[in-house]
Amino acid sequence: MIITKLLGLSTVFTKSKKAKLAILGIEMVILGVALYNQKQEKKNKRLNS
């Protein structure tokens, strides 16, 4: 979550729309990976219980 907050703050300092879209894309990928990992951990906990 710290990474996405830092990337969010970096959009304040950039005026290029392309750069903002690239940063938003990076944020979405990071969040997607985090959600996938969280789902896998929950699945593994259920299987091991």
Side-chain angles (χ1 to χ4, degrees):
M1 295 307 283
I2 293 171
I3 293 172
T4 57
K5 288 183 181 186
L6 289 175
L7 289 172
L9 289 174
S10 67
T11 60
V12 172
F13 301 112
T14 231
K15 295 187 182 192
S16 169
K17 276 198 174 203
K18 288 181 182 179
K20 286 182 182 181
L21 287 174
I23 291 169
L24 180 62
I26 292 168
E27 289 179 352
M28 290 174 65
V29 168
I30 291 170
L31 288 173
V33 169
L35 288 173
Y36 175 78
N37 287 338
Q38 185 179 28
K39 187 181 283 189
Q40 291 299 319
E41 286 178 10
K42 285 182 181 179
K43 188 177 183 180
N44 287 339
K45 283 182 183 179
R46 280 189 300 214
L47 292 175
N48 292 332
S49 295

